[in-house]
Amino acid sequence: MTERSVTLELVGTSLVVPIGVPGSGKTTLLTGAAARLGDPAFRFGADDVRQLAFGSRQVQGNPAAVHGVARAVVALRLSSGLSAAYDATSVNARDRAVLVELARKNRANPVALIFAAGPYVAKDRNASRPPESRVPEEVIDRMSRPLEQVSAQSLVREGFSDVYVIDQSVTEIEIRIA
């Protein structure tokens, strides 16, 4: 498989919403993109809140509060005119609707990234993680099902202004903010 890079062209303040199962490459690729952008806080999500609050990304308690804090941090960036990526799976339309509304309230463009690595690739990548960072395979299977209904067209109908598909050959995301 040929490795390749994808460039995101963000116009103005944007909220980037990655959509994909655990192990699909969301955090890895967005962390690298944020570093190349010179803004490591560009990528932020629930796991960052878990690390701050509990000392571990693996603590799964109180998801409503954890995601609420993560969305508040992202909203603060957006309201300050800074683009952000909300690092979560966002496999369900209701979760994405909350993020589209968050972008709109903060006059930001909602941009979707479909991480299209299939469940077999995600499980492979998951198996190579340290044991304490692995997600149960049944979680990957469960989260894969709603993604079968997701397409660029459906995401535009949900309110996303731009949609990018990130397949398993993508090894780097470059971000340009105009």
Side-chain angles (χ1 to χ4, degrees), residues 78-94:
L78 297 175
S79 69
S80 299
L82 298 170
S83 292
Y86 185 77
D87 190 7
T89 58
S90 300
V91 296
N92 296 306
R94 70 180 181 280

Side-chain angles (χ1 to χ4, degrees), residues 20-91:
V21 298
S24 60
K26 300 175 308 297
T27 301
T28 300
L29 290 173
L30 287 171
T31 298
R36 282 184 296 285
L37 190 60
D39 184 3
F42 171 83
R43 187 213 54 80
F44 194 81
D47 284 347
D48 300 296
V49 173
R50 290 181 184 105
Q51 184 68 45
L52 289 169
F54 308 118
S56 170
R57 294 174 176 267
Q58 280 63 53
V59 175
Q60 294 296 309
N62 205 344
V66 167
H67 281 275
V69 170
R71 285 191 303 268
V73 170
V74 168
L76 181 61
R77 281 185 61 88
L78 297 175
S79 69
S80 299
L82 298 170
S83 292
Y86 185 77
D87 190 7
T89 58
S90 300
V91 296

Side-chain angles (χ1 to χ4, degrees), residues 108-125:
N109 300 312
V111 176
L113 303 183
I114 302 171
F115 281 77
Y120 296 110
V121 171
K123 288 177 185 177
D124 239 18
R125 291 176 179 170

Side-chain angles (χ1 to χ4, degrees), residues 109-143:
N109 300 312
V111 176
L113 303 183
I114 302 171
F115 281 77
Y120 296 110
V121 171
K123 288 177 185 177
D124 239 18
R125 291 176 179 170
N126 185 52
S128 70
R129 290 175 168 172
E132 68 278 2
S133 298
R134 290 185 191 140
V135 175
E137 286 194 0
E138 57 270 14
V139 171
I140 294 171
D141 289 334
R142 186 183 72 237
M143 290 184 150

